[in-house]
Amino acid sequence: MTKNRHLKFPMLVSTATLRQIGGEDFMNNNAWNDFSGTRTYIRVPNKAAADAIAADLPAFMERNLPEDQKGYATRTNQQLYLEPLGDIYLSPRQDFGQGTNNRSKIITALALFAGLILLTSCINFINLSFSQMWERSREIGVRKTVGAKRRDIHIQVLVESATLSLLGALIGIAIGTGGAKLVEALSPLPAAIAPVWMAVSVLMGTSVGVIAGIYPAAKAAKMDPVVALRAE
């Protein structure tokens, strides 16, 4: 098993072995209290089924707890919980996972940091688009002189902006995939980038290019061809 698993235990003992040690009623006496850390994993078909099971857990305890233990269970507020496996790893609510409960906070902080980087990149990309637009003022003026419409200029700038941003996303995916394979080769940790996140990266990269290019494209489309041709 991998080192970053959420299951932490000093040993594994099967129910059959426990029956051999304590008899058939090994969990049907006062020794039951020693098994307060027992975890049971189940697979349910959908969320509705999971909700139904969770709602029935108090009645399940009432039906199955021995009579001589119901008083103790009531006094100590013994309960059964159902928790999604994803929550066990990211934000365990019932101490089913790691001792710390800060993974979701770390992911949120990293996501906010990534968002700030993305915003800064958009601003820098807009400035770069403006710079390129002024450097290509003569080209824009010539295109307008020979009949190009505002829409044509607008589309050209947007397509170029989206293409440049998409190229950056593809380079980032290549670097990330190579880094993941390197980590997997040099350590026991599994590392891979899921195809769905590659698709998200491509979509976000294209979107950033389009959004960042909207204003520069509008300015380029409105440029006076005479002024553009005179630009140095």
Side-chain angles (χ1 to χ4, degrees):
M1 300 180 72
T2 59
K3 293 182 179 180
N4 63 338
R5 64 186 184 273
H6 80 276
L7 295 171
K8 299 294 182 182
F9 43 78
M11 65 178 180
L12 291 173
V13 182
S14 68
T15 304
T17 302
L18 290 174
R19 284 197 177 97
Q20 292 176 359
I21 296 173
E24 287 295 327
D25 294 332
F26 74 97
M27 295 185 73
N28 195 26
N29 50 45
N30 291 332
W32 168 263
N33 300 332
D34 295 334
F35 293 89
S36 60
T38 301
R39 307 288 182 254
T40 300
Y41 292 84
I42 62 174
R43 176 177 291 179
V44 294
N46 49 53
K47 187 178 184 301
D51 292 340
I53 294 172
D56 186 59
L57 286 178
F60 174 84
M61 292 184 64
E62 183 66 25
R63 292 192 303 267
N64 292 277
L65 268 179
E67 289 297 329
D68 60 344
Q69 295 185 30
K70 287 184 178 179
Y72 174 81
T74 302
R75 291 193 306 272
T76 57
N77 193 29
Q78 297 291 313
Q79 299 181 51
L80 295 177
Y81 300 95
L82 195 65
E83 185 171 17
L85 188 59
D87 291 349
I88 290 177
Y89 188 77
L90 288 178
S91 55
R93 297 188 295 272
Q94 305 300 337
D95 196 29
F96 289 169
Q98 304 285 353
T100 58
N101 188 23
N102 58 1
R103 291 189 186 88
S104 60
K105 296 178 181 178
I106 293 175
I107 292 176
T108 301
L110 291 175
L112 291 174
F113 185 65
L116 290 175
I117 293 177
L118 191 61
L119 179 61
T120 304
S121 300
C122 285
I123 295 174
N124 290 335
F125 200 83
I126 291 174
N127 291 332
L128 177 62
S129 297
F130 265 119
S131 176
Q132 290 180 337
M133 182 188 70
W134 289 116
E135 290 178 357
R136 299 171 60 186
S137 295
R138 287 180 177 273
E139 176 189 338
I140 295 173
V142 170
R143 290 202 63 196
K144 283 196 167 189
T145 301
V146 298
K149 298 179 180 179
R150 286 187 176 183
R151 180 183 59 188
D152 300 326
I153 303 297
H154 204 147
I155 292 175
Q156 176 190 352
V157 176
L158 282 179
V159 169
E160 290 177 355
S161 178
T163 302
L164 185 61
S165 184
L166 175 60
L167 180 61
L170 293 176
I171 293 174
I173 291 173
I175 294 175
T177 302
K181 289 187 178 298
L182 183 62
V183 169
E184 193 171 27
L186 298 179
S187 73
L189 298 177
I193 300 177
V196 63
W197 292 114
M198 294 184 185
V200 169
S201 299
V202 169
L203 180 61
M204 288 189 64
T206 306
S207 300
V208 167
V210 172
I211 294 172
I214 288 176
Y215 186 61
K219 294 292 290 184
K222 293 179 181 179
M223 188 178 294
D224 189 312
V226 177
V227 176
L229 288 171
R230 290 177 178 177
E232 294 296 336

